[in-house]
Amino acid sequence: MRKLILAITAIFVGIVSAYGQGTDKFDLERIRADRKNPVTVPRFDAPPIIDGKLDEDVWKRAAKFENFVQTDPGDLIPPSRETIAYLGYDSKNLYIAFMCFDEPGSINYSVAKRDQVGGEDYVGVFFDTFDDQRKAYIFQFNPLGIQADGIRTAGEMRSDFSVDVVLESRGQILENGWSVEAKIPFKSLRYKVGKGRMWGIDFWRRITRFNREISDWIPMERGVPELQQLGKITGIEDIDTERTLEVVPSVTLSKSRERTEDPAAENGSRLVGQPFGKDLGVSIKYQITPNVTLDAAVNPDFAEIEADAPVVRANERFPIFFPEKRPFFLEGIDIFRSRLQVVNTRNIADPDVALKLTGKIGKNTFGVLGAVDNFSDTNQKAFAGVFRYRRDIGANSNIGAFATQYHLGSNLHNNLFGIDGSFQLDSRTVASFEVFGTASKRYFYEPEIDESIYRNGNGFAYRAELDYTGRNRGYNIELSGRSSDYRADLGFTRRTDSHGGRYGYRLQTEPAPEKPMIRFTHRGFFSASADSKGRIQDLVYNAFNSFDFQKQLNFNFRPFIAKEKIYENEFGAKRGPSLEGAFFGESYRSATQYGFDVELQKSFDNRLRLSAKYGLRANEFDFDFGASERFPRISPAYLQYLEDVQTNPDLETPPIDPGEGLLKLYSFSVEMQPTEPLNLRFAYDHRELRRNDNDRVAFDSNLFSFRSTYQFTRFISSRTRLDYNTVSGSLDTQLLFGWTPSPGTAFFAGYNDSSYYRGYNYFSNNFDPAFRRDNQAFFIRVSYLFRKSF
């Protein structure tokens, strides 16, 4: 099968095969042979002072990791600058240090916020603390020692930096480069240690000005998962195993004003002060063993501080996914993830109380989550439960199970159960699958009668995938679908009654770090989907072409062509002898769509980053929803109704009349770092859809976003956020001051403002001539981490 697929993709090799360079080994084989030997980490007699200076004798006794190899953009060639890493431990802590040789005036760094060091020079380390090649901690440090910490999970393209680990780190700028020291308490990690046990490890360094060069201690082979190539360390034993209890009480005090109806006031409304708000919460974490943790929380919500990024919602027919940001739910979130997204903790909207048990014992990984969700508007409680189990098989394979329950009041009951698995066929090929069934008792909309019926409904979802990732080529085959009655009320489901397949391939030149064009990458994607009746929903081909040039310049070009069909039963009633359908005219619409996107990105070290994008999409559907009061329905059927209703007021509003149109989009963003502590970002997104049949604009969206952060110190910062959307006229503002010395301990003082500029006023049923404030709130949130080990 693989040979057949590689033969197909080889047709495209001619466009990229002539460009590149060979591998300069510079005694590479000796380095590879050396990395196969485990490194014994010595035990420190005395702890180093974490000040970023490597001037203490204890570092002379540390394990030393040197002779790094450039892995990007060059492929296994000498690095531009030398790097040395050091490692040691004592009974309570793990100690890491880096010496990065460089010219002081050329180092890129800033007083960054935690987890925001990826755009500048930094060093990093992977720790696979179970040595199972399935998950590893990732720690990164910039030249000032400001850290980013997270989790890298097998099968995921990117690391998850939503996890915060309690640790201490410092950095120093030196005459010959820069250095970093870090202390990580063992009680902050989940791990296995003891005589003869090993951890997986790799160290690396990013140098921004050399085309974002990466050099690794391990000579990473492209196309093979990083976690399968890690080196080994041993010797960590006789650790003081502690049971750690963390308690984080929090209090939020707020004072707000909200716009309410007042017929006597101008425009029929006024701002009314609300009672003084007091919101108490507490989070508790108990580390039962080094690899099993119990979490509990009362009122775990940080919505005042972390706001979702604005998105264009005009003409959107499917739900939009927003990532989880609340610390309680982020702990161990990788255990509950699946490609079909059967668990999305954002559906636990406002929990009164939540409990979670996660861990790994031997080859068994498990997670249990329960919550009581508060629906204040309906005065009902929702009860949510999740069970996750995964069993490691062989070196890099696993099989597992999911079960979820969600009950809201007496009218909604949803249960899900299923299994999943991932199998490493060889170092470059992975096969995976997921199969889930759901049983629900709830209201289901029935398009045949245009009513919602309270009934039982059983559904299923599935996914099977084969992925091959080679050095300069690869392919991916996927089959997936969801039945019409599939419901996962604790998950995220974009579409039901849809089944399809996807084939993707990748071709890439050999990297040429000294040539004007460093790399060219071509990716192609074929996909098709149909409903349970066999009716085609879409046929799509996308071609993504990426050109990487010197001086951090990137150009992308993506043409596409698609065939899309939409049916009225997806939007509402299905027409019958005595029932009008959801569509005006024909009961379906079909369009051949084509277009392109071009994007240009340029970075000037870490001081200035520019990005611009332009796209055209012909025959894109206007679904005739009406984007807002400013952009009501403009279909021929609706415009004719507006004309006829003047003489016949009893006319009923016509069904929706979807039609094809031309979508224009362009956007640009500018990010500046004028000084080390100040970061400014401005982004603009424009989208306009004009129908073909009457040349009318369905919507014209302009989204303006401004962000500024001033990092007074590594722990003290201020933030300004401003978002303006012309479709609705909404103008959202946030001013925030924060002090976050460690995960759990924080002080925030802020102001949130929800206003409208020339927006529609529902109280007066008119557009405001200028500015209207609908809500404003001042708040203070304080939390403190109490940590005790037993």
Side-chain angles (χ1 to χ4, degrees):
M1 181 65 177
R2 185 193 308 165
K3 292 182 179 179
L4 175 62
I5 295 171
L6 286 177
I8 296 173
T9 58
I11 298 173
F12 300 92
V13 173
I15 64 173
V16 297
S17 60
Y19 199 94
Q21 68 169 37
T23 299
D24 181 358
K25 294 189 175 181
F26 69 99
D27 211 1
L28 181 61
E29 296 308 316
R30 181 190 63 80
I31 294 175
R32 279 175 165 159
D34 176 71
R35 301 305 185 258
K36 294 179 180 179
N37 300 316
V39 177
T40 300
V41 180
R43 187 184 184 97
F44 287 170
D45 296 328
I49 298 173
I50 306 302
D51 56 8
K53 302 176 183 178
L54 309 186
D55 54 359
E56 297 167 278
D57 289 340
V58 66
W59 289 116
K60 296 178 182 179
R61 300 191 296 273
K64 189 176 181 180
F65 303 81
E66 53 188 342
N67 296 324
F68 282 42
V69 176
Q70 185 181 156
T71 56
D72 191 72
D75 187 31
L76 306 182
I77 64 175
S80 299
R81 296 293 183 271
E82 183 185 0
T83 308
I84 304 175
Y86 302 88
L87 195 62
Y89 78 101
D90 59 23
S91 62
K92 295 183 179 296
N93 303 296
L94 189 66
Y95 300 97
I96 312 167
F98 288 88
M99 180 62 219
C100 302
F101 295 93
D102 210 339
E103 298 80 47
S106 300
I107 302 169
N108 289 298
Y109 65 94
S110 67
V111 186
K113 183 182 176 182
R114 185 186 187 121
D115 293 336
Q116 301 296 319
V117 303
E120 51 197 54
D121 290 357
Y122 63 84
V123 289
V125 59
F126 276 134
F127 286 120
D128 179 358
T129 55
F130 290 94
D131 191 28
D132 59 6
Q133 302 180 9
R134 290 171 170 84
K135 185 170 70 173
Y137 287 98
I138 177 174
F139 299 101
Q140 296 177 171
F141 308 95
N142 79 351
L144 298 181
I146 298 171
Q147 72 265 30
D149 44 4
I151 297 291
R152 171 63 66 85
T153 304
E156 299 292 334
M157 295 296 294
R158 298 182 178 180
S159 299
D160 178 7
F161 286 100
S162 61
V163 177
D164 286 334
V165 175
V166 177
L167 58 88
E168 182 181 353
S169 60
R170 293 289 187 278
Q172 293 282 340
I173 305 299
L174 309 171
E175 292 183 356
N176 60 343
W178 54 281
S179 59
V180 165
E181 288 180 302
K183 177 177 71 175
I184 306 175
F186 284 109
K187 61 186 178 184
S188 295
L189 306 175
R190 299 185 181 189
Y191 60 90
K192 278 285 189 180
V193 296
K195 191 173 182 62
R197 287 195 175 273
M198 296 187 185
W199 287 8
I201 196 168
D202 184 33
F203 299 92
W204 68 89
R205 177 184 178 184
R206 168 88 73 180
I207 306 178
T208 307
R209 70 184 186 278
F210 297 137
N211 298 307
R212 297 184 58 78
E213 174 185 314
I214 293 181
S215 55
D216 287 80
W217 181 67
I218 293 293
M220 288 288 179
E221 184 178 353
R222 284 192 290 120
V224 179
E226 292 173 305
L227 298 187
Q228 295 180 26
Q229 301 185 66
L230 299 181
K232 305 293 182 183
I233 57 173
T234 187
I236 302 177
E237 52 189 73
D238 296 329
I239 301 301
D240 291 343
T241 301
E242 300 174 318
R243 290 181 172 87
T244 302
L245 176 66
E246 297 180 2
V247 181
V248 182
S250 64
V251 58
T252 302
L253 307 176
S254 61
K255 183 61 178 175
S256 64
R257 294 197 301 164
E258 295 182 3
R259 183 166 294 276
T260 58
E261 185 175 12
D262 184 352
E266 183 180 1
N267 294 326
S269 63
R270 63 187 178 91
L271 282 173
V272 177
Q274 302 299 307
F276 188 78
K278 298 188 291 284
D279 196 6
L280 303 177
V282 63
S283 296
I284 302 171
K285 179 187 293 185
Y286 181 56
Q287 196 173 31
I288 301 172
T289 71
N291 53 348
V292 178
T293 302
L294 177 67
D295 293 90
V298 177
N299 194 25
D301 190 5
F302 283 76
E304 303 94 338
I305 298 167
E306 295 293 343
D308 291 318
V311 295
V312 178
R313 300 175 183 265
N315 205 49
E316 180 60 57
R317 63 182 289 210
F318 298 121
I320 299 173
F321 178 80
F322 292 99
E324 180 61 84
K325 297 182 178 181
R326 294 166 294 181
F328 171 82
F329 291 106
L330 290 173
E331 171 70 25
I333 196 172
D334 57 288
I335 296 174
F336 299 99
R337 286 199 171 113
S338 67
R339 292 287 298 277
L340 287 174
Q341 296 179 283
V342 297
V343 177
N344 175 29
T345 51
R346 287 291 293 259
N347 287 335
I348 305 175
D350 184 20
D352 288 335
V353 62
L355 192 69
K356 181 167 55 177
L357 180 69
T358 55
K360 181 170 186 176
I361 301 176
K363 297 180 179 293
N364 306 294
T365 300
F366 60 90
V368 180
L369 170 65
V372 178
D373 205 4
N374 177 37
F375 279 76
S376 56
D377 294 339
T378 62
N379 199 29
Q380 290 182 312
K381 300 291 185 181
F383 298 90
V386 180
F387 170 77
R388 171 61 162 154
Y389 171 77
R390 187 171 62 234
R391 170 77 178 183
D392 295 344
I393 302 174
N396 298 291
S397 303
N398 60 73
I399 191 167
F402 272 99
T404 70
Q405 281 193 333
Y406 187 79
H407 303 284
L408 173 59
S410 58
N411 293 326
L412 194 156
H413 306 278
N414 178 251
N415 300 295
L416 175 146
F417 178 78
I419 60 174
D420 66 331
S422 178
F423 306 95
Q424 189 86 38
L425 305 183
D426 56 43
S427 63
R428 298 181 181 273
T429 310
V430 178
S432 61
F433 78 94
E434 295 175 310
V435 180
F436 299 105
T438 62
S440 305
K441 190 171 185 179
R442 57 181 299 154
Y443 283 96
F444 287 86
Y445 176 73
E446 305 290 350
E448 290 80 6
I449 59 174
D450 194 23
E451 289 183 17
S452 292
I453 303 298
Y454 187 72
R455 62 173 175 84
N456 293 316
N458 299 321
F460 62 89
Y462 61 92
R463 183 191 66 85
E465 182 178 10
L466 180 67
D467 183 271
Y468 169 78
T469 303
R471 176 181 172 82
N472 290 320
R473 65 185 69 182
Y475 66 83
N476 176 279
I477 301 173
E478 180 179 309
L479 298 173
S480 63
R482 296 177 175 91
S483 67
S484 58
D485 278 359
Y486 173 82
R487 298 291 186 274
D489 289 316
L490 270 178
F492 178 80
T493 302
R494 181 171 168 83
R495 190 177 194 179
T496 59
D497 193 20
S498 182
H499 308 267
R502 179 179 180 274
Y503 167 67
Y505 63 90
R506 173 184 62 89
L507 298 167
Q508 180 176 297
T509 61
E510 282 289 319
E514 303 302 325
K515 292 187 178 182
M517 188 175 76
I518 299 170
R519 180 189 295 112
F520 170 72
T521 303
H522 170 75
R523 292 184 177 92
F525 306 95
F526 299 90
S527 66
S529 65
D531 63 16
S532 56
K533 297 181 177 63
R535 300 180 301 182
I536 294 296
Q537 294 170 326
D538 56 56
L539 300 168
V540 182
Y541 173 71
N542 278 281
F544 179 83
N545 302 282
S546 178
F547 303 82
D548 295 316
F549 298 97
Q550 295 288 339
K551 300 185 183 299
Q552 302 179 64
L553 176 63
N554 173 261
F555 174 75
N556 297 324
F557 173 62
R558 185 180 73 90
F560 78 94
I561 185 168
K563 183 74 171 181
E564 183 177 9
K565 291 188 175 183
I566 56 176
Y567 307 93
E568 65 180 4
N569 63 289
E570 297 181 287
F571 294 80
K574 179 181 179 182
R575 65 189 62 193
S578 59
L579 184 63
E580 185 179 31
F583 282 1
F584 180 87
E586 295 291 335
S587 62
Y588 74 96
R589 301 288 191 273
S590 177
T592 299
Q593 302 164 342
Y594 54 91
F596 67 90
D597 295 334
V598 292
E599 184 176 16
L600 187 68
Q601 298 174 329
K602 169 65 177 172
S603 294
F604 300 87
D605 296 330
N606 69 324
R607 296 302 182 186
L608 179 63
R609 302 181 185 92
L610 304 175
S611 176
K613 182 178 181 179
Y614 179 79
L616 288 175
R617 303 183 184 176
N619 302 327
E620 189 86 1
F621 275 121
D622 165 35
F623 298 118
D624 198 23
F625 295 151
S628 68
E629 287 76 11
R630 179 170 281 106
F631 295 99
R633 296 171 58 187
I634 50 87
S635 63
Y638 189 74
L639 293 179
Q640 185 63 48
Y641 158 77
L642 292 179
E643 183 178 331
D644 294 344
V645 78
Q646 302 297 322
T647 57
N648 186 359
D650 296 330
L651 281 179
E652 294 185 359
T653 305
I656 62 175
D657 184 15
E660 301 168 30
L662 177 65
L663 177 65
K664 298 179 182 179
L665 57 91
Y666 52 86
S667 62
F668 67 85
S669 66
V670 180
E671 185 172 359
M672 296 179 288
Q673 192 88 33
T675 64
E676 289 179 15
L678 178 62
N679 180 273
L680 304 172
R681 186 178 187 275
F682 174 78
Y684 170 68
D685 183 289
H686 170 84
R687 303 186 187 195
E688 176 189 305
L689 178 60
R690 184 180 295 269
R691 288 183 67 123
N692 297 338
D693 48 22
N694 58 14
D695 200 35
R696 300 287 292 267
V697 174
F699 68 88
D700 185 343
S701 168
N702 298 275
L703 185 61
F704 300 86
S705 297
F706 173 75
R707 303 284 189 275
S708 72
T709 302
Y710 194 91
Q711 202 76 28
F712 298 95
T713 70
R714 60 187 300 177
F715 302 129
I716 301 175
S717 66
S718 64
R719 185 175 72 197
T720 301
R721 179 179 67 89
L722 181 67
D723 299 307
Y724 176 56
N725 188 339
T726 60
V727 170
S728 62
S730 62
L731 179 64
D732 296 322
T733 305
Q734 182 186 67
L735 305 175
L736 184 69
F737 173 84
W739 174 64
T740 54
S742 66
T745 298
F747 170 85
F748 293 101
Y751 169 74
N752 290 332
D753 188 307
S754 295
S755 303
Y756 288 85
Y757 180 70
R758 296 182 178 178
Y760 189 78
N761 191 324
Y762 290 96
F763 298 102
S764 64
N765 293 322
N766 287 307
F767 287 96
D768 291 313
F771 179 81
R772 181 186 87 242
R773 175 175 287 116
D774 270 15
N775 179 284
Q776 61 178 177
F778 298 88
F779 67 90
I780 293 175
R781 178 181 281 272
V782 181
S783 63
Y784 187 81
L785 170 63
F786 294 93
R787 202 178 205 203
K788 178 68 175 177
S789 299
F790 306 93

